[in-house]
PDB file of all heavy atoms in Angstrom:
ATOM      1  N   ALA A   1      -0.907  -8.364   1.543  1.00 94.00           N
ATOM      2  CA  ALA A   1      -2.184  -8.559   2.185  1.00 94.00           C
ATOM      3  C   ALA A   1      -3.107  -7.385   1.904  1.00 94.00           C
ATOM      4  O   ALA A   1      -4.293  -7.614   1.560  1.00 94.00           O
ATOM      5  CB  ALA A   1      -1.947  -8.761   3.666  1.00 94.00           C
ATOM      6  N   VAL A   2      -2.634  -6.155   2.058  1.00 95.00           N
ATOM      7  CA  VAL A   2      -3.478  -4.995   1.902  1.00 95.00           C
ATOM      8  C   VAL A   2      -3.924  -4.851   0.442  1.00 95.00           C
ATOM      9  O   VAL A   2      -5.098  -4.503   0.165  1.00 95.00           O
ATOM     10  CB  VAL A   2      -2.749  -3.721   2.391  1.00 95.00           C
ATOM     11  CG1 VAL A   2      -3.667  -2.483   2.254  1.00 95.00           C
ATOM     12  CG2 VAL A   2      -2.295  -3.881   3.781  1.00 95.00           C
ATOM     13  N   GLY A   3      -2.987  -5.110  -0.513  1.00 94.00           N
ATOM     14  CA  GLY A   3      -3.351  -4.996  -1.881  1.00 94.00           C
ATOM     15  C   GLY A   3      -4.412  -5.935  -2.361  1.00 94.00           C
ATOM     16  O   GLY A   3      -5.343  -5.578  -3.099  1.00 94.00           O
ATOM     17  N   VAL A   4      -4.289  -7.212  -1.952  1.00 95.00           N
ATOM     18  CA  VAL A   4      -5.286  -8.198  -2.293  1.00 95.00           C
ATOM     19  C   VAL A   4      -6.636  -7.823  -1.728  1.00 95.00           C
ATOM     20  O   VAL A   4      -7.691  -7.925  -2.363  1.00 95.00           O
ATOM     21  CB  VAL A   4      -4.836  -9.632  -1.791  1.00 95.00           C
ATOM     22  CG1 VAL A   4      -6.009 -10.606  -1.993  1.00 95.00           C
ATOM     23  CG2 VAL A   4      -3.645 -10.068  -2.603  1.00 95.00           C
ATOM     24  N   ILE A   5      -6.660  -7.378  -0.453  1.00 96.00           N
ATOM     25  CA  ILE A   5      -7.935  -6.955   0.173  1.00 96.00           C
ATOM     26  C   ILE A   5      -8.527  -5.789  -0.598  1.00 96.00           C
ATOM     27  O   ILE A   5      -9.704  -5.699  -0.827  1.00 96.00           O
ATOM     28  CB  ILE A   5      -7.723  -6.567   1.635  1.00 96.00           C
ATOM     29  CG1 ILE A   5      -7.320  -7.809   2.464  1.00 96.00           C
ATOM     30  CG2 ILE A   5      -8.993  -5.955   2.204  1.00 96.00           C
ATOM     31  CD1 ILE A   5      -6.900  -7.471   3.893  1.00 96.00           C
ATOM     32  N   ARG A   6      -7.675  -4.825  -1.095  1.00 96.00           N
ATOM     33  CA  ARG A   6      -8.185  -3.667  -1.788  1.00 96.00           C
ATOM     34  C   ARG A   6      -8.881  -4.095  -3.092  1.00 96.00           C
ATOM     35  O   ARG A   6      -9.764  -3.347  -3.570  1.00 96.00           O
ATOM     36  CB  ARG A   6      -7.037  -2.693  -2.124  1.00 96.00           C
ATOM     37  CG  ARG A   6      -7.544  -1.365  -2.600  1.00 96.00           C
ATOM     38  CD  ARG A   6      -6.483  -0.334  -2.780  1.00 96.00           C
ATOM     39  NE  ARG A   6      -5.659  -0.638  -3.915  1.00 96.00           N
ATOM     40  CZ  ARG A   6      -4.335  -0.909  -3.913  1.00 96.00           C
ATOM     41  NH1 ARG A   6      -3.713  -0.851  -2.742  1.00 96.00           N
ATOM     42  NH2 ARG A   6      -3.675  -1.157  -5.038  1.00 96.00           N
ATOM     43  N   SER A   7      -8.458  -5.163  -3.664  1.00 95.00           N
ATOM     44  CA  SER A   7      -9.057  -5.632  -4.973  1.00 95.00           C
ATOM     45  C   SER A   7     -10.568  -5.974  -4.740  1.00 95.00           C
ATOM     46  O   SER A   7     -11.277  -6.085  -5.721  1.00 95.00           O
ATOM     47  CB  SER A   7      -8.300  -6.797  -5.502  1.00 95.00           C
ATOM     48  OG  SER A   7      -8.531  -7.988  -4.736  1.00 95.00           O
ATOM     49  N   PHE A   8     -10.981  -6.148  -3.495  1.00 96.00           N
ATOM     50  CA  PHE A   8     -12.387  -6.502  -3.215  1.00 96.00           C
ATOM     51  C   PHE A   8     -13.163  -5.297  -2.728  1.00 96.00           C
ATOM     52  O   PHE A   8     -14.258  -5.464  -2.189  1.00 96.00           O
ATOM     53  CB  PHE A   8     -12.463  -7.642  -2.158  1.00 96.00           C
ATOM     54  CG  PHE A   8     -11.902  -8.964  -2.620  1.00 96.00           C
ATOM     55  CD1 PHE A   8     -10.610  -9.321  -2.375  1.00 96.00           C
ATOM     56  CD2 PHE A   8     -12.707  -9.815  -3.395  1.00 96.00           C
ATOM     57  CE1 PHE A   8     -10.097 -10.513  -2.795  1.00 96.00           C
ATOM     58  CE2 PHE A   8     -12.189 -11.043  -3.836  1.00 96.00           C
ATOM     59  CZ  PHE A   8     -10.890 -11.413  -3.565  1.00 96.00           C
ATOM     60  N   SER A   9     -12.641  -4.101  -2.905  1.00 95.00           N
ATOM     61  CA  SER A   9     -13.310  -2.854  -2.425  1.00 95.00           C
ATOM     62  C   SER A   9     -14.683  -2.738  -3.004  1.00 95.00           C
ATOM     63  O   SER A   9     -14.905  -3.010  -4.229  1.00 95.00           O
ATOM     64  CB  SER A   9     -12.487  -1.646  -2.810  1.00 95.00           C
ATOM     65  OG  SER A   9     -11.225  -1.630  -2.214  1.00 95.00           O
ATOM     66  N   THR A  10     -15.646  -2.368  -2.162  1.00 94.00           N
ATOM     67  CA  THR A  10     -17.055  -2.199  -2.542  1.00 94.00           C
ATOM     68  C   THR A  10     -17.478  -0.808  -2.837  1.00 94.00           C
ATOM     69  O   THR A  10     -18.519  -0.593  -3.406  1.00 94.00           O
ATOM     70  CB  THR A  10     -18.001  -2.835  -1.502  1.00 94.00           C
ATOM     71  OG1 THR A  10     -17.743  -2.194  -0.234  1.00 94.00           O
ATOM     72  CG2 THR A  10     -17.731  -4.346  -1.323  1.00 94.00           C
ATOM     73  N   ASN A  11     -16.599   0.120  -2.464  1.00 95.00           N
ATOM     74  CA  ASN A  11     -16.922   1.555  -2.695  1.00 95.00           C
ATOM     75  C   ASN A  11     -15.627   2.386  -2.718  1.00 95.00           C
ATOM     76  O   ASN A  11     -14.532   1.863  -2.400  1.00 95.00           O
ATOM     77  CB  ASN A  11     -17.875   2.128  -1.654  1.00 95.00           C
ATOM     78  CG  ASN A  11     -17.374   1.940  -0.222  1.00 95.00           C
ATOM     79  OD1 ASN A  11     -16.327   2.500   0.157  1.00 95.00           O
ATOM     80  ND2 ASN A  11     -18.066   1.127   0.565  1.00 95.00           N
ATOM     81  N   TYR A  12     -15.734   3.626  -3.158  1.00 95.00           N
ATOM     82  CA  TYR A  12     -14.613   4.481  -3.326  1.00 95.00           C
ATOM     83  C   TYR A  12     -13.879   4.764  -2.042  1.00 95.00           C
ATOM     84  O   TYR A  12     -12.644   4.709  -2.017  1.00 95.00           O
ATOM     85  CB  TYR A  12     -15.097   5.804  -3.945  1.00 95.00           C
ATOM     86  CG  TYR A  12     -13.995   6.824  -4.109  1.00 95.00           C
ATOM     87  CD1 TYR A  12     -13.033   6.757  -5.112  1.00 95.00           C
ATOM     88  CD2 TYR A  12     -13.931   7.904  -3.210  1.00 95.00           C
ATOM     89  CE1 TYR A  12     -12.048   7.668  -5.270  1.00 95.00           C
ATOM     90  CE2 TYR A  12     -12.962   8.857  -3.355  1.00 95.00           C
ATOM     91  CZ  TYR A  12     -12.000   8.759  -4.335  1.00 95.00           C
ATOM     92  OH  TYR A  12     -11.021   9.707  -4.436  1.00 95.00           O
ATOM     93  N   ILE A  13     -14.560   5.001  -0.954  1.00 95.00           N
ATOM     94  CA  ILE A  13     -13.991   5.280   0.315  1.00 95.00           C
ATOM     95  C   ILE A  13     -13.102   4.101   0.818  1.00 95.00           C
ATOM     96  O   ILE A  13     -11.989   4.305   1.266  1.00 95.00           O
ATOM     97  CB  ILE A  13     -15.010   5.622   1.420  1.00 95.00           C
ATOM     98  CG1 ILE A  13     -15.765   6.889   1.026  1.00 95.00           C
ATOM     99  CG2 ILE A  13     -14.385   5.809   2.786  1.00 95.00           C
ATOM    100  CD1 ILE A  13     -14.953   8.134   0.918  1.00 95.00           C
ATOM    101  N   MET A  14     -13.633   2.930   0.679  1.00 96.00           N
ATOM    102  CA  MET A  14     -12.850   1.758   1.023  1.00 96.00           C
ATOM    103  C   MET A  14     -11.617   1.635   0.205  1.00 96.00           C
ATOM    104  O   MET A  14     -10.499   1.284   0.692  1.00 96.00           O
ATOM    105  CB  MET A  14     -13.718   0.466   0.880  1.00 96.00           C
ATOM    106  CG  MET A  14     -13.023  -0.829   1.223  1.00 96.00           C
ATOM    107  SD  MET A  14     -14.137  -2.256   1.024  1.00 96.00           S
ATOM    108  CE  MET A  14     -12.993  -3.628   1.434  1.00 96.00           C
ATOM    109  N   TYR A  15     -11.713   1.888  -1.096  1.00 96.00           N
ATOM    110  CA  TYR A  15     -10.603   1.787  -2.015  1.00 96.00           C
ATOM    111  C   TYR A  15      -9.475   2.756  -1.592  1.00 96.00           C
ATOM    112  O   TYR A  15      -8.350   2.356  -1.481  1.00 96.00           O
ATOM    113  CB  TYR A  15     -11.042   2.070  -3.449  1.00 96.00           C
ATOM    114  CG  TYR A  15      -9.936   1.896  -4.443  1.00 96.00           C
ATOM    115  CD1 TYR A  15      -9.667   0.689  -5.030  1.00 96.00           C
ATOM    116  CD2 TYR A  15      -9.170   3.012  -4.821  1.00 96.00           C
ATOM    117  CE1 TYR A  15      -8.635   0.538  -5.937  1.00 96.00           C
ATOM    118  CE2 TYR A  15      -8.115   2.879  -5.727  1.00 96.00           C
ATOM    119  CZ  TYR A  15      -7.865   1.692  -6.301  1.00 96.00           C
ATOM    120  OH  TYR A  15      -6.806   1.502  -7.185  1.00 96.00           O
ATOM    121  N   VAL A  16      -9.811   4.048  -1.431  1.00 95.00           N
ATOM    122  CA  VAL A  16      -8.760   5.021  -1.144  1.00 95.00           C
ATOM    123  C   VAL A  16      -8.137   4.821   0.293  1.00 95.00           C
ATOM    124  O   VAL A  16      -6.983   5.086   0.511  1.00 95.00           O
ATOM    125  CB  VAL A  16      -9.252   6.481  -1.310  1.00 95.00           C
ATOM    126  CG1 VAL A  16      -9.562   6.749  -2.779  1.00 95.00           C
ATOM    127  CG2 VAL A  16     -10.422   6.784  -0.417  1.00 95.00           C
ATOM    128  N   SER A  17      -8.986   4.314   1.217  1.00 96.00           N
ATOM    129  CA  SER A  17      -8.481   4.033   2.543  1.00 96.00           C
ATOM    130  C   SER A  17      -7.432   2.976   2.557  1.00 96.00           C
ATOM    131  O   SER A  17      -6.376   3.039   3.134  1.00 96.00           O
ATOM    132  CB  SER A  17      -9.635   3.642   3.463  1.00 96.00           C
ATOM    133  OG  SER A  17     -10.610   4.703   3.571  1.00 96.00           O
ATOM    134  N   LEU A  18      -7.720   1.882   1.781  1.00 96.00           N
ATOM    135  CA  LEU A  18      -6.771   0.801   1.640  1.00 96.00           C
ATOM    136  C   LEU A  18      -5.523   1.193   0.809  1.00 96.00           C
ATOM    137  O   LEU A  18      -4.409   0.680   1.019  1.00 96.00           O
ATOM    138  CB  LEU A  18      -7.445  -0.443   1.042  1.00 96.00           C
ATOM    139  CG  LEU A  18      -8.448  -1.147   1.983  1.00 96.00           C
ATOM    140  CD1 LEU A  18      -9.237  -2.189   1.213  1.00 96.00           C
ATOM    141  CD2 LEU A  18      -7.707  -1.767   3.146  1.00 96.00           C
ATOM    142  N   GLU A  19      -5.736   2.098  -0.121  1.00 94.00           N
ATOM    143  CA  GLU A  19      -4.624   2.656  -0.897  1.00 94.00           C
ATOM    144  C   GLU A  19      -3.644   3.363   0.085  1.00 94.00           C
ATOM    145  O   GLU A  19      -2.435   3.230  -0.050  1.00 94.00           O
ATOM    146  CB  GLU A  19      -5.109   3.620  -1.970  1.00 94.00           C
ATOM    147  CG  GLU A  19      -4.028   4.202  -2.894  1.00 94.00           C
ATOM    148  CD  GLU A  19      -3.626   3.207  -3.931  1.00 94.00           C
ATOM    149  OE1 GLU A  19      -4.475   2.496  -4.497  1.00 94.00           O
ATOM    150  OE2 GLU A  19      -2.413   3.154  -4.250  1.00 94.00           O
ATOM    151  N   LEU A  20      -4.211   4.108   0.982  1.00 94.00           N
ATOM    152  CA  LEU A  20      -3.402   4.820   2.001  1.00 94.00           C
ATOM    153  C   LEU A  20      -2.653   3.813   2.875  1.00 94.00           C
ATOM    154  O   LEU A  20      -1.432   3.984   3.116  1.00 94.00           O
ATOM    155  CB  LEU A  20      -4.285   5.740   2.795  1.00 94.00           C
ATOM    156  CG  LEU A  20      -3.589   6.489   3.967  1.00 94.00           C
ATOM    157  CD1 LEU A  20      -2.587   7.489   3.422  1.00 94.00           C
ATOM    158  CD2 LEU A  20      -4.638   7.201   4.847  1.00 94.00           C
ATOM    159  N   ILE A  21      -3.365   2.869   3.420  1.00 95.00           N
ATOM    160  CA  ILE A  21      -2.748   1.843   4.310  1.00 95.00           C
ATOM    161  C   ILE A  21      -1.671   1.102   3.599  1.00 95.00           C
ATOM    162  O   ILE A  21      -0.567   0.844   4.154  1.00 95.00           O
ATOM    163  CB  ILE A  21      -3.829   0.911   4.852  1.00 95.00           C
ATOM    164  CG1 ILE A  21      -4.806   1.683   5.749  1.00 95.00           C
ATOM    165  CG2 ILE A  21      -3.229  -0.218   5.653  1.00 95.00           C
ATOM    166  CD1 ILE A  21      -6.048   0.868   6.136  1.00 95.00           C
ATOM    167  N   GLU A  22      -1.920   0.693   2.381  1.00 94.00           N
ATOM    168  CA  GLU A  22      -0.938  -0.082   1.619  1.00 94.00           C
ATOM    169  C   GLU A  22       0.368   0.730   1.384  1.00 94.00           C
ATOM    170  O   GLU A  22       1.478   0.234   1.511  1.00 94.00           O
ATOM    171  CB  GLU A  22      -1.494  -0.528   0.255  1.00 94.00           C
ATOM    172  CG  GLU A  22      -0.614  -1.411  -0.546  1.00 94.00           C
ATOM    173  CD  GLU A  22       0.138  -0.601  -1.671  1.00 94.00           C
ATOM    174  OE1 GLU A  22      -0.513   0.112  -2.408  1.00 94.00           O
ATOM    175  OE2 GLU A  22       1.385  -0.704  -1.713  1.00 94.00           O
ATOM    176  N   ALA A  23       0.222   2.023   1.112  1.00 92.00           N
ATOM    177  CA  ALA A  23       1.392   2.874   0.924  1.00 92.00           C
ATOM    178  C   ALA A  23       2.151   3.036   2.229  1.00 92.00           C
ATOM    179  O   ALA A  23       3.396   3.070   2.254  1.00 92.00           O
ATOM    180  CB  ALA A  23       0.934   4.261   0.424  1.00 92.00           C
ATOM    181  N   ILE A  24       1.436   3.144   3.361  1.00 93.00           N
ATOM    182  CA  ILE A  24       2.092   3.290   4.696  1.00 93.00           C
ATOM    183  C   ILE A  24       2.898   2.081   5.043  1.00 93.00           C
ATOM    184  O   ILE A  24       4.061   2.187   5.477  1.00 93.00           O
ATOM    185  CB  ILE A  24       1.015   3.554   5.810  1.00 93.00           C
ATOM    186  CG1 ILE A  24       0.376   4.932   5.554  1.00 93.00           C
ATOM    187  CG2 ILE A  24       1.654   3.476   7.154  1.00 93.00           C
ATOM    188  CD1 ILE A  24      -0.753   5.219   6.517  1.00 93.00           C
ATOM    189  N   VAL A  25       2.346   0.885   4.820  1.00 92.00           N
ATOM    190  CA  VAL A  25       3.036  -0.333   5.264  1.00 92.00           C
ATOM    191  C   VAL A  25       4.053  -0.841   4.227  1.00 92.00           C
ATOM    192  O   VAL A  25       4.935  -1.648   4.611  1.00 92.00           O
ATOM    193  CB  VAL A  25       2.040  -1.454   5.548  1.00 92.00           C
ATOM    194  CG1 VAL A  25       1.083  -1.055   6.691  1.00 92.00           C
ATOM    195  CG2 VAL A  25       1.220  -1.906   4.335  1.00 92.00           C
ATOM    196  N   GLY A  26       3.983  -0.371   3.016  1.00 90.00           N
ATOM    197  CA  GLY A  26       4.854  -0.946   1.975  1.00 90.00           C
ATOM    198  C   GLY A  26       5.817  -0.049   1.288  1.00 90.00           C
ATOM    199  O   GLY A  26       6.793  -0.530   0.606  1.00 90.00           O
ATOM    200  N   SER A  27       5.668   1.265   1.441  1.00 87.00           N
ATOM    201  CA  SER A  27       6.513   2.206   0.641  1.00 87.00           C
ATOM    202  C   SER A  27       7.901   2.322   1.104  1.00 87.00           C
ATOM    203  O   SER A  27       8.772   2.852   0.409  1.00 87.00           O
ATOM    204  CB  SER A  27       5.824   3.568   0.610  1.00 87.00           C
ATOM    205  OG  SER A  27       4.592   3.528  -0.033  1.00 87.00           O
ATOM    206  N   GLY A  28       8.205   1.807   2.295  1.00 87.00           N
ATOM    207  CA  GLY A  28       9.567   1.913   2.856  1.00 87.00           C
ATOM    208  C   GLY A  28      10.515   0.867   2.318  1.00 87.00           C
ATOM    209  O   GLY A  28      11.701   0.870   2.648  1.00 87.00           O
ATOM    210  N   VAL A  29      10.004  -0.017   1.501  1.00 90.00           N
ATOM    211  CA  VAL A  29      10.863  -1.121   0.984  1.00 90.00           C
ATOM    212  C   VAL A  29      12.012  -0.602   0.155  1.00 90.00           C
ATOM    213  O   VAL A  29      13.113  -1.162   0.180  1.00 90.00           O
ATOM    214  CB  VAL A  29      10.027  -2.174   0.212  1.00 90.00           C
ATOM    215  CG1 VAL A  29       9.499  -1.608  -1.079  1.00 90.00           C
ATOM    216  CG2 VAL A  29      10.822  -3.432  -0.027  1.00 90.00           C
ATOM    217  N   TYR A  30      11.808   0.494  -0.569  1.00 87.00           N
ATOM    218  CA  TYR A  30      12.887   0.992  -1.422  1.00 87.00           C
ATOM    219  C   TYR A  30      14.073   1.561  -0.610  1.00 87.00           C
ATOM    220  O   TYR A  30      15.177   1.189  -0.825  1.00 87.00           O
ATOM    221  CB  TYR A  30      12.339   2.058  -2.379  1.00 87.00           C
ATOM    222  CG  TYR A  30      13.363   2.496  -3.427  1.00 87.00           C
ATOM    223  CD1 TYR A  30      13.291   1.921  -4.730  1.00 87.00           C
ATOM    224  CD2 TYR A  30      14.328   3.443  -3.165  1.00 87.00           C
ATOM    225  CE1 TYR A  30      14.199   2.263  -5.675  1.00 87.00           C
ATOM    226  CE2 TYR A  30      15.231   3.822  -4.124  1.00 87.00           C
ATOM    227  CZ  TYR A  30      15.172   3.241  -5.373  1.00 87.00           C
ATOM    228  OH  TYR A  30      16.115   3.568  -6.366  1.00 87.00           O
ATOM    229  N   THR A  31      13.716   2.433   0.338  1.00 83.00           N
ATOM    230  CA  THR A  31      14.768   3.032   1.135  1.00 83.00           C
ATOM    231  C   THR A  31      15.454   2.038   2.015  1.00 83.00           C
ATOM    232  O   THR A  31      16.701   2.053   2.165  1.00 83.00           O
ATOM    233  CB  THR A  31      14.187   4.210   2.000  1.00 83.00           C
ATOM    234  OG1 THR A  31      13.131   3.733   2.794  1.00 83.00           O
ATOM    235  CG2 THR A  31      13.753   5.352   1.154  1.00 83.00           C
ATOM    236  N   SER A  32      14.693   1.155   2.667  1.00 88.00           N
ATOM    237  CA  SER A  32      15.300   0.111   3.533  1.00 88.00           C
ATOM    238  C   SER A  32      16.149  -0.805   2.733  1.00 88.00           C
ATOM    239  O   SER A  32      17.258  -1.169   3.184  1.00 88.00           O
ATOM    240  CB  SER A  32      14.238  -0.638   4.308  1.00 88.00           C
ATOM    241  OG  SER A  32      13.288  -1.223   3.442  1.00 88.00           O
ATOM    242  N   GLY A  33      15.745  -1.251   1.535  1.00 88.00           N
ATOM    243  CA  GLY A  33      16.485  -2.110   0.704  1.00 88.00           C
ATOM    244  C   GLY A  33      17.685  -1.423   0.146  1.00 88.00           C
ATOM    245  O   GLY A  33      18.792  -2.029   0.091  1.00 88.00           O
ATOM    246  N   PHE A  34      17.564  -0.162  -0.214  1.00 83.00           N
ATOM    247  CA  PHE A  34      18.680   0.617  -0.727  1.00 83.00           C
ATOM    248  C   PHE A  34      19.830   0.686   0.283  1.00 83.00           C
ATOM    249  O   PHE A  34      21.002   0.473  -0.059  1.00 83.00           O
ATOM    250  CB  PHE A  34      18.202   2.016  -1.102  1.00 83.00           C
ATOM    251  CG  PHE A  34      19.224   2.825  -1.885  1.00 83.00           C
ATOM    252  CD1 PHE A  34      19.216   2.857  -3.249  1.00 83.00           C
ATOM    253  CD2 PHE A  34      20.161   3.634  -1.215  1.00 83.00           C
ATOM    254  CE1 PHE A  34      20.147   3.637  -3.928  1.00 83.00           C
ATOM    255  CE2 PHE A  34      21.127   4.336  -1.867  1.00 83.00           C
ATOM    256  CZ  PHE A  34      21.084   4.373  -3.254  1.00 83.00           C
ATOM    257  N   ILE A  35      19.476   1.006   1.507  1.00 83.00           N
ATOM    258  CA  ILE A  35      20.479   1.196   2.564  1.00 83.00           C
ATOM    259  C   ILE A  35      21.057  -0.189   3.005  1.00 83.00           C
ATOM    260  O   ILE A  35      22.271  -0.305   3.162  1.00 83.00           O
ATOM    261  CB  ILE A  35      19.905   1.955   3.764  1.00 83.00           C
ATOM    262  CG1 ILE A  35      19.647   3.409   3.358  1.00 83.00           C
ATOM    263  CG2 ILE A  35      20.841   1.868   4.967  1.00 83.00           C
ATOM    264  CD1 ILE A  35      18.988   4.292   4.424  1.00 83.00           C
ATOM    265  N   LEU A  36      20.187  -1.191   3.068  1.00 86.00           N
ATOM    266  CA  LEU A  36      20.684  -2.514   3.411  1.00 86.00           C
ATOM    267  C   LEU A  36      21.702  -3.021   2.370  1.00 86.00           C
ATOM    268  O   LEU A  36      22.746  -3.614   2.784  1.00 86.00           O
ATOM    269  CB  LEU A  36      19.514  -3.503   3.424  1.00 86.00           C
ATOM    270  CG  LEU A  36      19.788  -4.965   3.697  1.00 86.00           C
ATOM    271  CD1 LEU A  36      20.492  -5.153   5.079  1.00 86.00           C
ATOM    272  CD2 LEU A  36      18.543  -5.856   3.623  1.00 86.00           C
ATOM    273  N   ALA A  37      21.476  -2.727   1.100  1.00 83.00           N
ATOM    274  CA  ALA A  37      22.397  -3.178   0.077  1.00 83.00           C
ATOM    275  C   ALA A  37      23.643  -2.313   0.025  1.00 83.00           C
ATOM    276  O   ALA A  37      24.782  -2.801  -0.033  1.00 83.00           O
ATOM    277  CB  ALA A  37      21.686  -3.103  -1.326  1.00 83.00           C
ATOM    278  N   LEU A  38      23.467  -1.006   0.151  1.00 79.00           N
ATOM    279  CA  LEU A  38      24.603  -0.085  -0.027  1.00 79.00           C
ATOM    280  C   LEU A  38      25.617  -0.169   1.110  1.00 79.00           C
ATOM    281  O   LEU A  38      26.800   0.055   0.890  1.00 79.00           O
ATOM    282  CB  LEU A  38      24.049   1.342  -0.112  1.00 79.00           C
ATOM    283  CG  LEU A  38      24.940   2.321  -0.944  1.00 79.00           C
ATOM    284  CD1 LEU A  38      25.067   1.895  -2.381  1.00 79.00           C
ATOM    285  CD2 LEU A  38      24.383   3.752  -0.862  1.00 79.00           C
TER     286      LEU A  38
END
């Protein structure tokens, strides 16, 4: 959701703000998946 919205960014501030939000909500998938599997 956040990534698709970011593709419609109208200025630099909006772009980096959504980049931050997307990283916050999505970057834990590696560690959570790693531990779930292991």
Side-chain angles (χ1 to χ4, degrees):
V2 182
V4 170
I5 293 172
R6 192 176 72 241
S7 71
F8 294 95
S9 296
T10 56
N11 55 64
Y12 175 78
I13 298 298
M14 179 179 176
Y15 181 89
V16 295
S17 298
L18 289 170
E19 184 79 38
L20 176 66
I21 295 171
E22 184 261 308
I24 291 173
V25 300
S27 297
V29 69
Y30 189 96
T31 54
S32 57
F34 189 94
I35 291 176
L36 177 61
L38 206 64

